[in-house]
Amino acid sequence: MYPILECRKITYSYPLQHSPSLQNINLMLEQGKVYGILGANGSGKTTLCSLLRGFMPKFYQGTITGEVLLKGRPIAEYGGQLVKEIGYVFQNPFTQLSGVKDTVFEEVAYGLENMGVPADDIEAAVIQAMENTNIRDLALKHPRQLSGGQLQRTALASALVQNPDILILDEPTSQLDPQETSNVFHIIKKLKEQNKTIIIAEHKTDWIAEYVDEVVLLEKGRVYDKGNKTRILSNPELEEIGIMPPQVTLLCQKLRESGIPIITLPTTYAQTKTVLEKLLFPIVEKR
Ligand SMILES: Nc1ncnc2c1ncn2[C@@H]1O[C@H](COP(=O)(O)OP(=O)(O)OP(=O)(O)O)[C@@H](O)[C@H]1O
Ligand SMILES: [Mg+2]
């Protein structure tokens, strides 16, 4: 499969910073896959998300070496067209608000209006995005009167409504309750079925284990590991670099420490069920 987004030897420093926030990043992201970006606070998740969205060096400035390619072309070449290609949800959803709209409905419609989409098409798309993110009942509320979780879902709706090929979500569930977190991951699953590429920075490894295809693990601005999510999420070093493994992995780690023979640590509920079934009901070999 060809990479839809690619980082080649990227090293990036914010303005006036002596040490780079990202160092020697090489990534090939394939179309139709869901990528989870993991890392402790300050490891560079937001910086990587911003870089993949093409915010450096134009928006954040600073110094950058290497290149980011979108569909094989340098990302800088896309200019204003980039907004059609990549949807983005900021870590702080307040940042996403246009500040010029008086209702949630208008806020979600704002991006499409800017693209010159006809009004009838806008209405249908906005209603759909609001339904998907469970904010239809907020349609007439002022965006500044929203709770953190409502704001976060509005930000997600604003990104979804434009139907981009790529979505970059920077901790989109940080302020959501378990039900809404689950809802967001179900949306991600549906988008994957539509062959969208999704990049999600997230601390909640239980959800990452269940829903992503591959993981990019950052530590102090470098790629510590990338690829197979089960291998990465069951790595015993995970906690040492500031990441809480999935609950089921922790449980099985404890069981293993107390002498129960679990060879491969599971990271999902399905894997855990298989592991426990094998322990509880070992196959009796026929003579
Ligand atoms: N605008 C900025 N100017 C200067 N340094 C910055 C800026 N934004 C981030 N940094 C620095 O870059 C490094 C990576 O920060 P980043 O926000 O990407 O981390 P993160 O993994 O997203 O953390 P968190 O989990 O807290 O969101 C940190 O050392 C941070 O202090
Ligand atoms: Mg961040």
Side-chain angles (χ1 to χ4, degrees):
M1 234 192 267
Y2 82 100
I4 190 163
L5 258 176
E6 193 178 348
C7 290
R8 288 190 185 161
K9 290 191 183 166
I10 292 278
T11 293
Y12 170 75
S13 304
Y14 284 101
L16 309 175
Q17 299 298 302
H18 296 300
S19 53
S21 290
L22 292 175
Q23 282 193 63
N24 194 28
I25 306 288
N26 290 295
L27 289 175
M28 298 240 278
L29 307 182
E30 289 169 16
Q31 179 164 1
K33 281 195 172 179
V34 182
Y35 293 89
I37 302 180
L38 286 178
N41 290 140
S43 59
K45 300 181 298 298
T46 296
T47 310
L48 179 59
C49 287
S50 310
L51 180 94
L52 292 171
R53 169 59 181 77
F55 287 145
M56 282 86 159
K58 214 171 173 187
F59 185 74
Y60 283 109
Q61 304 188 329
T63 50
I64 186 166
T65 55
E67 57 180 354
V68 181
L69 302 176
L70 169 63
K71 299 177 181 170
R73 271 175 62 199
I75 202 159
E77 285 182 9
Y78 285 78
Q81 294 299 308
L82 210 49
V83 74
K84 291 186 186 166
E85 302 279 345
I86 308 179
Y88 195 91
V89 170
F90 287 86
Q91 178 164 0
N92 176 358
F94 200 74
T95 317
Q96 195 120 4
L97 286 184
S98 66
V100 296
K101 294 295 181 184
D102 293 334
T103 69
V104 167
F105 186 96
E106 291 170 8
E107 182 65 39
V108 175
Y110 185 62
L112 292 181
E113 262 175 36
N114 279 345
M115 286 176 172
V117 176
D120 285 353
D121 297 347
I122 292 183
E123 189 170 335
V126 170
I127 290 172
Q128 185 65 55
M130 291 179 79
E131 256 166 23
N132 284 343
T133 50
N134 206 12
I135 55 167
R136 250 197 105 159
D137 56 337
L138 304 175
L140 299 178
K141 257 200 147 177
H142 197 288
R144 276 199 304 272
Q145 292 171 346
L146 299 178
S147 75
Q150 290 168 339
L151 202 53
Q152 209 158 27
R153 283 182 280 146
T154 303
L156 182 59
S158 302
L160 291 179
V161 79
Q162 303 190 37
N163 197 25
D165 279 349
I166 303 172
L167 268 155
I168 301 177
L169 314 173
D170 190 1
E171 297 198 37
T173 72
S174 57
Q175 303 194 44
L176 301 187
D177 62 30
Q179 184 56 48
E180 289 305 337
T181 299
S182 164
N183 190 21
V184 167
F185 279 94
H186 278 106
I187 293 169
I188 288 173
K189 191 176 171 198
K190 271 199 250 163
L191 292 168
K192 179 183 155 65
E193 286 162 10
Q194 295 163 25
N195 204 28
K196 306 279 185 196
T197 309
I198 297 144
I199 297 146
I200 174 169
E202 181 61 76
H203 286 286
K204 297 173 183 166
T205 50
D206 297 278
W207 291 98
I208 289 291
E210 299 285 346
Y211 282 90
V212 309
D213 294 307
E214 291 187 21
V215 164
V216 176
L217 176 55
L218 295 178
E219 199 215 14
K220 295 182 184 149
R222 292 176 182 274
V223 175
Y224 184 90
D225 201 352
K226 62 184 172 189
N228 187 285
K229 62 175 175 179
T230 307
R231 177 176 56 76
I232 294 174
L233 291 170
S234 60
N235 184 341
E237 289 168 8
L238 215 54
E239 278 186 271
E240 282 165 36
I241 58 170
I243 295 156
M244 187 57 82
Q247 290 293 312
V248 290
T249 314
L250 284 173
L251 171 68
C252 288
Q253 219 167 345
K254 297 278 175 226
L255 291 172
R256 183 151 86 175
E257 281 161 21
S258 60
I260 295 171
I262 297 173
I263 297 153
T264 311
L265 287 173
T267 60
T268 65
Y269 288 114
Q271 290 169 1
T272 309
K273 186 167 171 273
T274 309
V275 165
L276 294 181
E277 277 170 355
K278 276 191 189 150
L279 285 170
L280 294 169
F281 314 111
I283 299 162
V284 181
E285 280 188 29
K286 284 183 188 163
R287 289 196 176 176

